[in-house]
Structures are given as C-alpha cells and as structure tokens.
Amino acid sequence: MSTLGIWFVGARGSLATTATLGLHALAAGLTEAIGCVTEHPELDRRGLAGYDEVLVGGHDVVDTPLVKRAEELVAGGVVPQHLLRLVGDRLAATEHRLRHGVENAGTSGRGQRAEVERLARDIRAFGEEVDHVVVVDVSSTEQPYSPDDDTSSWSALRAAWEAGRAPLPASSVYACAALLADAAHAGFTPSTGIDLPALRQLAHQRAIPFAGCDGKTGETLVKSALAPMFATRALEVRSWTSVNLLGGGDGATLADPAAASSKTRAKRSGLDSMLGRPVDGPMHIDYVADLGDWKTAWDHVRFDGFLGTRMTMQFTWEGCDSTLAAPLVLDLARLLGRARAAGVLGPVPELGFFFKSPYDSDEHRLAQQWEALTRWSADCAARVERLTGEPDS
Amino acid sequence: MSTLGIWFVGARGSLATTATLGLHALAAGLTEAIGCVTEHPELDRRGLAGYDEVLVGGHDVVDTPLVKRAEELVAGGVVPQHLLRLVGDRLAATEHRLRHGVENAGTSGRGQRAEVERLARDIRAFGEEVDHVVVVDVSSTEQPYSPDDDTSSWSALRAAWEAGRAPLPASSVYACAALLADAAHAGFTPSTGIDLPALRQLAHQRAIPFAGCDGKTGETLVKSALAPMFATRALEVRSWTSVNLLGGGDGATLADPAAASSKTRAKRSGLDSMLGRPVDGPMHIDYVADLGDWKTAWDHVRFDGFLGTRMTMQFTWEGCDSTLAAPLVLDLARLLGRARAAGVLGPVPELGFFFKSPYDSDEHRLAQQWEALTRWSADCAARVERLTGEPDS
Amino acid sequence: MSTLGIWFVGARGSLATTATLGLHALAAGLTEAIGCVTEHPELDRRGLAGYDEVLVGGHDVVDTPLVKRAEELVAGGVVPQHLLRLVGDRLAATEHRLRHGVENAGTSGRGQRAEVERLARDIRAFGEEVDHVVVVDVSSTEQPYSPDDDTSSWSALRAAWEAGRAPLPASSVYACAALLADAAHAGFTPSTGIDLPALRQLAHQRAIPFAGCDGKTGETLVKSALAPMFATRALEVRSWTSVNLLGGGDGATLADPAAASSKTRAKRSGLDSMLGRPVDGPMHIDYVADLGDWKTAWDHVRFDGFLGTRMTMQFTWEGCDSTLAAPLVLDLARLLGRARAAGVLGPVPELGFFFKSPYDSDEHRLAQQWEALTRWSADCAARVERLTGEPDS
Amino acid sequence: MSTLGIWFVGARGSLATTATLGLHALAAGLTEAIGCVTEHPELDRRGLAGYDEVLVGGHDVVDTPLVKRAEELVAGGVVPQHLLRLVGDRLAATEHRLRHGVENAGTSGRGQRAEVERLARDIRAFGEEVDHVVVVDVSSTEQPYSPDDDTSSWSALRAAWEAGRAPLPASSVYACAALLADAAHAGFTPSTGIDLPALRQLAHQRAIPFAGCDGKTGETLVKSALAPMFATRALEVRSWTSVNLLGGGDGATLADPAAASSKTRAKRSGLDSMLGRPVDGPMHIDYVADLGDWKTAWDHVRFDGFLGTRMTMQFTWEGCDSTLAAPLVLDLARLLGRARAAGVLGPVPELGFFFKSPYDSDEHRLAQQWEALTRWSADCAARVERLTGEPDS
Ligand SMILES: NC(=O)c1ccc[n+]([C@@H]2O[C@H](COP(=O)([O-])OP(=O)(O)OC[C@H]3O[C@@H](n4cnc5c(N)ncnc54)[C@H](O)[C@@H]3O)[C@@H](O)[C@H]2O)c1
Ligand SMILES: NC(=O)c1ccc[n+]([C@@H]2O[C@H](COP(=O)([O-])OP(=O)(O)OC[C@H]3O[C@@H](n4cnc5c(N)ncnc54)[C@H](O)[C@@H]3O)[C@@H](O)[C@H]2O)c1
Ligand SMILES: NC(=O)c1ccc[n+]([C@@H]2O[C@H](COP(=O)([O-])OP(=O)(O)OC[C@H]3O[C@@H](n4cnc5c(N)ncnc54)[C@H](O)[C@@H]3O)[C@@H](O)[C@H]2O)c1
Ligand SMILES: NC(=O)c1ccc[n+]([C@@H]2O[C@H](COP(=O)([O-])OP(=O)(O)OC[C@H]3O[C@@H](n4cnc5c(N)ncnc54)[C@H](O)[C@@H]3O)[C@@H](O)[C@H]2O)c1
Ligand code: NA
Ligand code: NA
C-alpha cells in the first residue's frame, strides 16, 4: 500500500475542514466511518490507502485558521466538540501545508500561465511527501463559463497564453496545475475545472485519471433513487418541484442566481434523463442564513397512475451538507489514488455514483451507478494487486 | 400469441373491479397503459397476450354487481365516470363469468376437498374459453395462519382430508383449486395461498408457475427504492417509522390487528434485509374510513452521517391503492400466462419486483428486482418464440 | 329581508364561476354550506339575504360561456359533475346578466371617464332587479401600481380626466363605477381597486361601505392561525419559508413576477406584523400548469426555544383555491349587503378576517379578526332589525 | 417583590433539570428568556419573582446527581455545553435541596398518611427559605386511576386512612403534601394529582391556588392554534390523525399503553371540543429510543370545503420537549406564586393556556386562552400592588 496526499482547492471551506478533521479522527480511531462508501462490504478495498496513510494540504484564498473554521463548525452542530479537542494538534499540523491560491484566474496570458505554474509547484512540493496526490476541488462554485476556441486543445491553450489571453476560469487554472503536477483530479463543484478539451487532452497525455462533477449529496441523491422507481413502475410524473434551503458559505455563493444556475441546470438534466423526458416544475435554491450548514430540501412530485388517477409524493430532507459530502471526498481521493496506481487514465465514468453531472456518462440512476462503481473498484483492486504483487486486505 | 384468462379470487373487490374495468378500457383503446410495467420499453413484450385477448372471470363471496362496485369507485374518485359509461357493457358481460366462492375454508375434510373440486371446476370451465388461465388472489387478507404437518406434502394433505381434517385456509383452498385446474397462480395478498409445501409440491408435479406474495404498491415500494440509497451511501439508519392511513374494504379488513400483522411483518422484514440489520421504529396501519381507496403514508427516517451527525428524511405518499395495484395485476397475469407457455414452473423469484414478500428470494431492492425481471422476461420471450416458431412483436 | 345582487368583476373566472354555481346549488338546497362563514352559529345572521334571494351578474373580458367554464371546473375536480347537471339552467340564466368589461383602463382621460360611466350603467341596470348590489372584484391580479397626485382626491381625479389623463388602473375603473352605481365594493384581489384617496373620498360622499383586499384562503390563512402561537409562546421564529405551487388562470397570471410581487408583499407584511419584526425566508409563488385549481403550499418555520434550542415546524396545505374562496365571496356580499342596509359606510376593518391585507387594520391574527367580525356582525344585525322593524331569524 | 421557591416532584427528570439549569442561567444573565411567556410584553409582570429570587428544591425517587442528568441533556443536544459549565456550581447547590420521594403511594392507610406528612415536612422546611412555595409535578406519568368514595371529601379521605385504606395515587400524595405545607400546586403531567374532591376541598379550606393539568407543549399546542381556524372558517374536518414519536424518559413511560392512554384521551377531547363534534382518526404515541428528548409529531387533517371538495393539511413538528416545557414550568411557578400573594384560591382556569386538560375550563382555543391569561395576569398584578403598596415594574 502507498501513501496518499489530498490537496484541497478551497481547503478552508466547510467541506474541506470537515473532511480534514474527519480524516484525522478516523486515523486516530476516534470515530466510525459512517457515510464512507469505501467501507461498504460490497466495495473491494484492497489497495486503498488507510486513513492513517493520508496527508492533507491545499489552497485557499482566505486565511482563517483551520482550527477557527472547525470551531465554527462545532458551533453550527456539524462537528462534535470533543472531536475537535482530540484532533486539534493534527489540524494545526495540516495548517502548515496550506498555501495561498488564486483569487481569480488572472487577466493576462503571462499572468495566468505563471499562476498555473506556481500552483503546480505547490502541489508538486506537497507530492514529495506522498506516493500519489489527488487534487479535490471543493472551492466556491464559479459562475457559469462558456469555453471558446482557446481551450479547444492543449496547444490552442498555450497559444492563447502566448498571445496574451487568459482563457481559463479559476477552477480550470487549478485543474491545469494539478495535471502539470501529475496529480489526479476530482471536481466536487459544478465549476468547469478539468472539463475542457485542452485539459482533457493534457490528462490523457500525462496518463492521469480524473472524475467529476458536482457532488451528489442531498436532494439530487434522493432523486436518483426515486426517479427510477417512477420510471420502472411506468408511472407518469407530471411535475417535480424542488426547493433547497441552505445557509453557510455555499448557500451565500448560491444566493447569486448566476452561480445557482449551474447547480439547477445539472439537477434538472439528470431528472429529465431518468424520467425519459423533460419534466415541469420549479427548482429553487434559497439562501436562509440561519440554517448554517444544514440543508432542508422539499420535493413535491405529482404523478399519474392507471386510468389517469392523480397522486402525489413529497419528501423533506434535513441533512448536514458538509458531513454528507466529507466522507465522499475522502472516498474519491482514495479511489482515484488507487486508480492512479492501477494505471487508469482520463475520465472515470464509473465514479458517477458520487456526482450530479457525471463526466462521460448519462447514467444518473443510483443503483446502476453503484453496480458500475463496485465492478470498477474490484477491477482496480485486482490490477493494483497484480502490479504491486502484494496481496492486500 | 394466445388468449389469456384472468380468474380473480375476490373478483368484486376494489382492486379486481378496477383491473377489470381498466382492462376493458385498454382493450377498447380508451385509456393509456399508465402504470403497466409490461409496457415499459426495457421489458420484452414478445408473446404477451394483448389486452383485447384477455377474458376475466372469478370468485367472490358477495353478490354486489360489478357495475355497482364500479360506480362506487367512480364516486370515490378512483375511476373516471366517462370510462365506466363507455365500458359498462363489457363489465356486464364479465358479470356472467363470476361464480360464488367459499366463505371460509370448510370444517370437515370431505367438505374442504369438495370445495376445492367445485372451485377447480369453475376455473376449468372458464379455461375452455382461453389458452391459459392465471388465478390472481385479490381477496381480503386472511388472518395469519400457522401450517402444520397436514400441509407438509401433497400426500399428507390428501391423507388429512381422508381423516376428516380441513387444514387449508381459504386462500389455499383457492390456490389448490387453481393448480387442479391447471392454472398459474399469483398471490397479491399476504394470505397463505399457494405457499405451503403441499401445494408447492403439487405445482411442481403439474408443472405450473406461480408468484407472490403481497403486492408492493405504496409505501413499501418507496422503501425498496430508498433503503438501498442509505445502504450504499453507508448512512446509518437509526429508526424508520411508517404510518399508513387507508379506508376502503382493505382498510376495514386491516383495522383488525391480526390481519394487519401479516402486512407489517412483511414490510418490516424487507426493510431489515435491505439495511442489513433490524431497524427500530413503529409501523402502523390505520383504518380511516373517510379516505376510501386513497392511502396516505408517512415515513420518518432518522439516520446518522459522518461524525455522527443526526439527519432525517420524511416522505408522504398519497396514492390510490386500487389504481396502483390494478395494472400490476394485469402485468402479473400476462407475464405468468406467457411463462406458462414458455414452460416455466414453480415459484418465480424474478417476479419479486411486484411483491412485498417475494417467494424464494431475499432481494427487496427495487432496482435489482427490475434487472432480474427484465432479464427473465427477455428469456421467456425468447423461449416462447422458439416454441411457437412465430416471431412476435 | 331584502334581495341582493352580486356583481362580479371577472365573472367568468374560476372563482366567480364556482361561487355562482355554488350559490345556485345552495339556493336549490342541493349542497351544504360548507366553508360559508355566515352560517357559523357564532355569527349573527339576522338580516342577511337568503341564498335564494341573490342574483348574480358581472363583467368579464372573455366570452367563454359560464357553463363551459363550469365544465372545465368539473374536469379539474373542483365541482362535482352532478351539481352542474342540476343547476345548468340557472347558470344559463345568469349568462344573460354578464356584460363585457374593460380590457385595460383606457389611455385618454375622456376614454377612461366614459368607461367608468358605461360600467356604472351596467351595474345600475342590474341593480334595478335587487335591493342592494355588491360589486366583488375577482378578476386577474393586476401588476403593482403607484398612485400619483391625480388620484389624491375625487376632484383631482376629475381634473385629471378633464386634462386628458387616465390615472386609474382597470381595477379602480371598476371600483369607481361601483361607487357611481351606488354599489358596495369588495376587493378580493391584491389589485388597487377602491384603495385610492379619490375613491375612498367618493365612497364617503356616497355613504357606501367597502372591504378588501386580497382574499385570505390558503397558506396565509394558516399563517394567521400559527404565527400568533409562536408569538404568544415567546418562541423566536428565525426564518419562515413559503412555497406556493398553483396552476389555473390565477397561477398563470402570477407566473409573471410583477403580478406575483403584489401577493408576496402582502403575505410578508402580515407575517412580520404578527411576529413583531421582519422575518427572514424566501417566499415563492410558482406556476405548475398541471395542478390546475389545486394549490399545494409548503411552509417551513425555523424557530428557537428556551436555551437557544433549534426547532422546526413545517406544513403542507393541499387545497382547491376556488372552493376555498367561493364561499367567502358569498359571505362578503351578504355581509356588505346588510352593512349597506345598516348604514355602514367607508372601509370595514372588521371584515379583515377575509383578507390578506385588510383595509384600515393592522390586525392579522385570525382569532382576533374572528372576534371583531362576530361583534360587528351582531351590531349590524341589531341595527338592521331596528331600522326595518322586522325581527328576523 | 417576594422570593419564590419551586419544589419539583420528579426533580431529577429531563424537564425539571432543564428548568433548573435554565433558571440558573437566566438568574446569571447567561441566556435569553426565549419561550418564557411571562416575558411577553402583553403580560403584566408586576409582582412576579425575578429569576434571581427563585430557589429550587424537590423530590425524586432516583439519585442520579443533577449535574449528571444535565450532562446527559448536553449529550442529547437539549442544553448547550457552555451553559452547564457556567452554572454547574448552582446546580450542585440545588442538589442539596433535593429529597427522596415516594416510590408508590403506600398500601396501608397509616403508611400513606405518614408519607404525606413526611413529604409535607420536606416542603415546609424548604419553605422557610422563601416567601411562597409552588409545587410543580413533573414526575413520570402515572397509569390512569379511578377515584372512589374515599376521595370524595377531605373527611372521607381521613376516614379511609383511619380505616387502613390508602386511596391516593402517588401524584395525589404529593399534591396533598403540598397543600398541607401551604404550597400552591401545578400539575404538569396527566396524572391525577390534586384533581380529587378531597384535595380540591382541602385547597379551598387552606386558601391555596392550583392549576393543571398536562403541559401543552407540542402537537396539542399546534392543534389548539389550528383547529379554531377550521372551525371559524366552517371547513368540515373529516379526520385528524396524530402521530407522536418520542424517546427519553417520558417516551419510555408512555411506551406503556396504559400510561399513554391518559395522554391521548386528553388530546382527543380537546380537539373534539374545538371542532364541535367527535372527529375520526388514530392518535399514536410511539417510543423511538433514538430520538431522545426530541419529539417528532406528524398530523394529517382531511377536511372538506365548499361543494364537498376534499382537501388536506399536514404538519410535522420537530421540537425538544424539555426546552419547550421548561420555561412554561417557570412561568407557572411565577404566576402561581404571585397569585398566592394576590389571594387567589382554588383552581385557576385562566392558566388553561399552559395545559392540555385545563381544570375547570372547556376552553382549548389558544387565542382565547391567551386573552384570558393576560386579563387575569393584569388583575393579579393590580391586586398584589394594592396589597403590598409597592408599585413594581
Ligand atoms: N457540501 C455539499 O454537500 C456539496 C455538494 C456538492 C457540491 N458542493 C460544493 O463544494 C464546494 C464547497 O462547499 P462548502 O460548503 O465547503 O463551501 P464554503 O463556502 O464553506 O467553502 C468554499 C471555500 O472555497 C474557498 N475559495 C473560494 N474561491 C477560491 C479560489 N479561487 N481558490 C481557492 N479557494 C477558494 C473559500 O474561501 C472557502 O474557504 C461548493 O462549491 C459547493 O457547491 C458541496
Ligand atoms: N390495492 C393495493 O394496493 C394492494 C396492495 C397489496 C395487497 N393488496 C391486497 O389485495 C386484496 C384486495 O384489496 P381490495 O382493496 O380490492 O380489497 P376489497 O376489500 O375491496 O376486496 C376484497 C374482495 O375479496 C372478497 N372476498 C373476501 N373473502 C373472500 C373469499 N373467501 N373468497 C372470495 N372472495 C372473498 C370480498 O368480498 C371483496 O370483494 C387485499 O387483500 C389487499 O391486502 C392490495
Ligand atoms: N381563489 C383564491 O383562493 C383567491 C384568493 C385570493 C385572491 N384571489 C384572486 O381572485 C382573482 C380570481 O382568481 P381566479 O382563480 O378566478 O382567476 P381566473 O384567472 O380563473 O379568473 C380571472 C378572471 O378575470 C377576468 N379578467 C381579467 N382581466 C379582466 C378585466 N380587465 N375586466 C374583467 N375581467 C377580467 C379573466 O378573463 C378571468 O375570467 C385573482 O386575482 C386571484 O389572485 C383568489
Ligand atoms: N416535556 C414536555 O413537553 C411535557 C409536556 C407535558 C407533560 N410532560 C410531563 O412531564 C413529566 C416529566 O417529563 P420528563 O421528560 O422530565 O420525564 P423524565 O422521565 O425525564 O422525568 C421524570 C422524573 O420523575 C421521576 N419520578 C418517577 N416517579 C416518581 C415518584 N413517584 N416520585 C418522584 N419522582 C418520580 C423519575 O425518576 C424522573 O426523574 C412527564 O410526566 C411528562 O408526561 C412533559
Ligand atoms: Na453526464
Ligand atoms: Na392593513
């Protein structure tokens, strides 16, 4: 087995802080791995890095100390107080591995290229300490971005930089840096990140695996379990309304309709795909400051049954976004780290289980995604075992 | 393709009446096949009887005319008025194929055997008009029944009759009659029906397929879609509370705690199996007369996430039981009719998709049941095609 | 007792059609007066017009026959089919008392004044048939309107007309016509209607009572019962989220954010007033075509208790807007008709029980509004009795 | 102003511990008085004891230290950790004022009388430290009890004791002791307590005020706000279903159907009275251990509107029982302490606002109870001011 480095973009956010603190607690045997998919008995764990074999580093643009962020999470009921007390030292140690990121993507070609290289150096330096690095983007959701010719290939991108243009949005600056530092990449936000022809090409050239995008943790998760029920039972969904109330940093970002629109677009398209046609109904993401990291989602489904009978189903989901997402982020890093070792490269559609908008896959149904994940995981495990020659548990 | 006969036990109940009326409406092209699983594009329909190739007959112990029952369903908002007007004649024709059943299972051995034979004659006579008969039990749920040695084999059963004992509950009297009349059997209620060693043995001897038990139409259906989500996401369900409010004939029967207990036991065991361990939480079935055929179910799920965070999900399901169940009853009859033609015999676990307590299967997860069903369906379709030599759409 | 005429603005809308049909059914003794507040034992009914003493007329800008609209309501499950069959003749008779209204409020001063006069003539002609007329505005909600000096007094308004300006929005054109025709006025929509200094002055001059505005029938009704509970129990409401899904004509109108904003503003201010301070939380009105006249509202209340404990309450309301509003519209007409007879003039804050934004009252608490209503009603009853000298039941 | 002593029966229970800790926090200015009705601006507070003028003592039958119970409440998320740290000393001081109570009510007449006297001595001793004592029963709910002739008068009770009989249930033993110790009494549970002719007579003789019974804190509170809405709007409630899920000590007690039945009977009768007739629908109280002190209630209301249209409302209430009840317990003690000073005696129906089954009152409507409470409070305040001659804030 090999050591793993997780490099968070947005390392001081709620999600990264929860994941970091949780990892330390797991490594110290202080908490159970609830919500960690990689602990599921159906998932082949051979060759995955142990929690005590993982180092954390990352970029952020704010300087609030990790421990301070963790205290805020304690106050918000996300993290139990006693855990913070017990892993405070480890958090402080991680603090030393955090670096300042890029506020925005730069305006000059030279500037953007330089930023990419600086970030890559940070990641490469971190990589010295571990066998594999996985960069996980958990920074604030960007506004929607429309790619142009400058990002249509790796050479076009370099040419654009030469010509003084700065075509990449910030999330893609980080993704590019990850690739140049030979790190795998997971895009947990709806931002563009690695999903540009230029960067996909670069990933192939450098034989690097990546996965994304936009973590599926709450209401969309439930949808991906429920919509197939309506579909296979041949019930006609006439409207599906979704309301998401959330506070916290993520909520504040999504209070901006432009940022929210990347989210709702993704949610809607998955639903339509599972139900086989466009479905009516509003979809709201609302910022309610008081809710903090807690999200309340209400969904209302109007469907018709036999002889046109009108029926409804509604559900309310009350979850803590950061603790729903944190274990998945650890899962993704462990799985991509091992995939790297197994020689997997390019987009990994089999990781679609984790995402609202899975790269290179139209499969949104949770059960089918689970089957694909477990099959792929067994396959990676076997390949790693063959390669390393060390039979592992 | 061959003609199909559906013989309902409980032919004048809400469910049977809705299914019969709906079948006539489908045959006449007056309604869409919403909720009919056999119309799903992923399900291989080759060799299934068309709606206009199906005849309905059945047993009941009350004499209320079908048209009267249908009018009550119109009044209760289950069936649209205009449909009843349009298929009233066909309903009246079906009326002539209904026979009086057995109130209870008889007390003397001779009496029970005679009842079985009388019922079998009714079914066999009906079978003259069609190629295959499927008996579908949609009668009132019986009280739980504990089998003894008398039903441990077909010869033991016959010996018991000889000795003057009457070991079968009513639902099994019907199932036995079905087998003696060479009809397939589907048990849509939680009653014992065919599920006794004696009758299973008889089914094998006579090479007859059967499926059951207890239609999965409402809250349990939703559970079978949602519970796997919690399981594969490694979220710890701490309690799952279920409340079912229903009126109608079925509600009145289940107001009797003894009858309700067959239902709740089945519901609970499926959930525990999907979640991998017993889960706390009450489960209520309440009779609320005013609700008629409409069922409201409320479920409350308390689960823990990463770091022990406490979260909840709740849903409310408002459905019309009879229109949820009716298309499934038609599906089961079509599928078992074709299975018969394909030479399938004994219990069909691949029909578990339709049931709360699938015979000979521990699989309660809806998505996995769907995969099994579609695979099996394609297999049957192919066998029928081979056997009949007629390529079919 | 005296005969009453109800003149609907928007006479062919869902609400007016339901109210008209329902009135005919009540007059014919074919339905119970469910939802009719004037039938409540605590409300003094002496002197109210009987249902068989009421005539209906009205304006609309579409020509769809009433019977056709009623058939649509039957199809939408708002009105039972058999009722329509039984009162079809009476509806056809009402058809003859409907007149074409004004599409918009006119652009020239002369045009607007002429319209007011034409409408007033229609109403006055109708008034020949009855003792008192109450004009009830149930037409589509207008976009918000900002009054200017031209409507600051009745003389300013006439001067503006002289000067060629047309300052009134359509709803106020109708209200002005009502006053000139000596009819009382009830504004059941959030539109401006009578609520302009010019028209209030005219109402006083002509000694005419009026009430408004915006019928309180669904989620706001529930709020006015629940918010006082939080307030008197000293629980701190931190956020109150409201989502309203509705189809139908009203839903289509409110799909326009400008029109919706009049509604949400009213809803919000009532809540803030009952809770004693501004409360956070989004408020949505969404058009979901499929829902027709049925409204589903979901409210989520986050409140703190002792020691800062975080608690929540949520409710879902599934109601039929037209049948919730129709009996109130009849109530208002009966009460205003009698108030007229009792010599009441100007705004009637005691009718606040019926409205989201009661004129001349800050009282939004339902229980207090009920007390005010019953007291006022008893007072009117007594006055009418004194005036007419006829002791009434 | 005078000092007040609160004597809790069940002093180590969740509710008493929360109230005690909260009182200390209020006295120290460490928390806001959220949920304290006596702080409402509409309630006349002149003459009420300040939080820093209140002492706590009490009986219980278990010996778990208060601080330990408080730690459990912290773990259950009922009480914030920092508060416990800050008032730990005060809690320890209160510990010294707790005495051992009576397990059950005794079996011999002599034994029961002796217990009453012993308990009365405890209370009287505590009373030395303060001006007025209010005994508040917050112990576990007893099984229903049927009074007989022995409790029909104070003399009959003494005669029964003489004759060797022990007719009082434990809650009444405490109530009797309270009266003999000249303390006012508040029955916050559904147990019999003071509500026997013998004890009511004694209260009158000794000129002591009392109030009860069964605190109205959750779902019944909501009902008392909502049911009047349906009633005054003349909507016909066809069924009202209530489900209460709760853990904690109270939940464990109520898991016993006999104990639960006292609760559900009270809840049902209030609803029927507000709606004017018996209403159908099940009412469940379920013990779900995992919920701890948190209660989730789901209510489903089916009602008809105009023309018989079928509508529904449902709500989910997620509250913390102990923090909902604790401030009310403090309110009751403060109000009864002042009532004592004002010379009030016997049952106080004006305190019905706090109870599910208010003594000597049929009024269950929250708004009307609020009016009665504020009026009575102003009256008491005025009387106390007159008596003491000291104008108070
Ligand atoms: N938590 C979930 O359930 C979930 C699910 C899906 C997606 N996500 C996504 O994960 C992301 C993080 O969520 P969160 O709740 O932690 O939000 P957050 O606001 O608490 O954290 C975001 C962090 O990103 C940092 N950041 C912003 N711009 C940056 C930049 N240019 N470079 C580096 N860091 C930058 C911020 O300073 C902040 O610390 C969001 O985009 C969210 O949409 C979260
Ligand atoms: N509708 C659903 O969603 C659903 C789902 C699962 C199971 N079920 C089961 O299906 C059955 C039918 O439901 P329903 O709503 O139509 O109930 P129902 O009460 O309307 O009809 C039952 C019919 O069975 C008849 N019957 C009773 N005893 C009989 C006997 N000994 N022989 C013949 N007929 C007899 C009754 O007279 C009645 O006509 C019930 O057992 C129910 O539990 C229904
Ligand atoms: N139903 C409720 O519960 C409720 C509650 C509060 C307020 N309201 C208000 O009542 C009104 C009616 O609701 P509805 O559901 O019947 O809507 P609807 O769309 O079915 O009916 C509105 C009618 O007004 C007519 N109209 C439009 N402009 C007109 C004009 N200039 N002159 C005359 N008629 C005109 C339309 O042609 C239509 O027939 C709406 O404004 C709605 O906001 C309804
Ligand atoms: N919390 C609420 O919202 C609420 C509302 C209405 C009524 N109540 C009632 O208040 C009571 C207390 O509730 P809780 O949650 O604190 O319960 P709890 O179980 O935590 O506390 C009850 C306490 O009473 C003690 N006790 C039992 N028998 C006794 C006896 N004979 N003498 C003295 N003490 C005895 C127990 O040892 C325990 O400490 C219950 O009866 C409950 O039904 C509570
Ligand atoms: Na995709
Ligand atoms: Na007002």
Side-chain angles (χ1 to χ4, degrees), chain A residues 263-273 279-283:
Chain A
K263 282 267 180 196
T264 52
R265 208 166 330 129
K267 281 165 173 253
R268 192 175 290 286
S269 82
L271 183 62
D272 292 354
S273 133
V279 168
D280 194 22
M283 189 167 286

Side-chain angles (χ1 to χ4, degrees), chain C residues 8-17 59-64 69 100-105 137-142 170-171 174 188-191 214-218 246-254 263 293 295 320-326 354 356:
Chain C
F8 286 124
V9 182
R12 300 180 187 284
S14 298
L15 170 43
T17 307
H59 284 124
D60 204 308
V61 293
V62 298
D63 299 317
T64 334
R69 288 295 288 118
H100 201 83
V102 288
E103 205 75 46
N104 47 51
D137 183 358
V138 290
S139 63
S140 313
T141 296
E142 285 177 355
S171 63
Y174 285 106
F188 208 77
T189 82
S191 308
D214 202 3
K216 176 160 84 170
T217 54
L246 69 168
D250 192 25
T253 305
L254 296 173
K263 282 266 180 197
D293 262 295
K295 176 153 76 184
C320 175
D321 258 11
S322 295
T323 48
L324 283 164
F354 295 95
K356 288 200 196 73

Side-chain angles (χ1 to χ4, degrees), chain C residues 356-364:
Chain C
K356 288 200 196 73
S357 306
Y359 290 154
D360 298 67
S361 164
D362 285 337
E363 182 58 85
H364 292 272

Side-chain angles (χ1 to χ4, degrees), chain D residues 8-17 59-62 64 69 100-104 137-142 170-171 174 188-191 214-218 247-251 253-254 263 293 295 320-326 356:
Chain D
F8 285 125
V9 182
R12 300 181 188 284
S14 298
L15 169 43
T17 306
H59 284 123
D60 204 307
V61 293
V62 299
T64 334
R69 289 293 289 119
H100 201 83
V102 290
E103 206 73 47
N104 48 50
D137 183 359
V138 290
S139 63
S140 313
T141 295
E142 287 177 353
S171 63
Y174 285 106
F188 208 76
T189 80
S191 307
D214 202 4
K216 176 160 86 170
T217 54
D250 194 25
T253 304
L254 296 174
K263 282 266 180 199
D293 262 296
K295 176 153 77 186
C320 175
D321 257 11
S322 295
T323 49
L324 283 164
K356 287 199 198 75

Side-chain angles (χ1 to χ4, degrees), chain C residues 216-286:
Chain C
K216 176 160 84 170
T217 54
E219 183 238 7
T220 309
L221 172 67
V222 180
K223 269 184 180 142
S224 69
L226 279 181
M229 176 190 81
F230 291 106
T232 57
R233 281 297 173 104
L235 300 165
E236 288 284 344
V237 174
R238 297 294 181 204
S239 66
W240 191 311
T241 297
S242 304
V243 179
N244 290 273
L245 313 179
L246 69 168
D250 192 25
T253 305
L254 296 173
D256 172 357
S261 80
S262 352
K263 282 266 180 197
T264 53
R265 206 166 332 129
K267 282 164 172 256
R268 190 174 292 285
S269 81
L271 184 62
D272 292 355
S273 132
M274 287 182 288
L275 293 175
R277 59 189 172 72
V279 169
D280 194 22
M283 190 167 286
H284 298 291
I285 301 185
D286 293 304

Side-chain angles (χ1 to χ4, degrees), chain A residues 18-19 21-23 25-26 31-37 39-40 42 77-80 83 216-218 221-223 225-226 228-236 238 294 303-324 326-328 330 352-355 365-368 370-371, chain B residues 18-19 21-23 25-26 31-37 39-40 42 77-80 83 216-218 221-223 225-226 228-236 238 294 303-324 326-328 330 352-355 365-368 370-371:
Chain A
T18 307
L21 185 150
L23 175 73
L26 286 166
T31 193
E32 283 173 85
I34 304 181
C36 294
V37 166
E39 303 301 323
H40 195 288
E42 288 178 29
V78 177
V79 168
L83 273 190
K216 175 160 85 171
T217 53
L221 172 67
V222 180
K223 269 185 181 141
L226 279 181
M229 176 190 82
F230 290 105
T232 57
R233 281 296 173 105
L235 299 165
E236 290 284 343
R238 298 293 180 203
W294 289 82
F303 63 100
D304 283 350
F306 195 52
L307 308 182
T309 334
R310 298 170 67 88
M311 316 197 196
T312 56
M313 175 174 179
Q314 54 182 290
F315 68 82
T316 304
W317 170 266
E318 288 179 288
C320 174
D321 258 10
S322 295
T323 50
L324 283 164
L328 303 181
L330 301 180
F353 180 73
F354 295 95
F355 297 111
R365 296 171 301 169
L366 192 70
Q368 279 72 8
W370 176 246
E371 301 246 314
Chain B
T18 307
L21 185 151
L23 175 75
L26 286 166
T31 193
E32 281 174 86
I34 304 181
C36 293
V37 165
E39 302 302 321
H40 196 288
E42 288 178 30
V78 177
V79 168
L83 273 191
K216 176 160 85 170
T217 53
L221 172 67
V222 180
K223 269 185 180 139
L226 279 180
M229 176 190 83
F230 290 106
T232 58
R233 281 297 173 103
L235 299 164
E236 289 283 345
R238 297 295 181 203
W294 290 83
F303 63 100
D304 283 351
F306 196 51
L307 309 181
T309 335
R310 299 170 66 88
M311 317 197 195
T312 56
M313 175 175 181
Q314 55 181 287
F315 68 82
T316 304
W317 169 268
E318 288 178 291
C320 174
D321 258 10
S322 295
T323 49
L324 283 163
L328 303 180
L330 301 180
F353 181 73
F354 295 94
F355 297 111
R365 297 171 299 170
L366 192 70
Q368 279 73 7
W370 177 245
E371 301 247 313

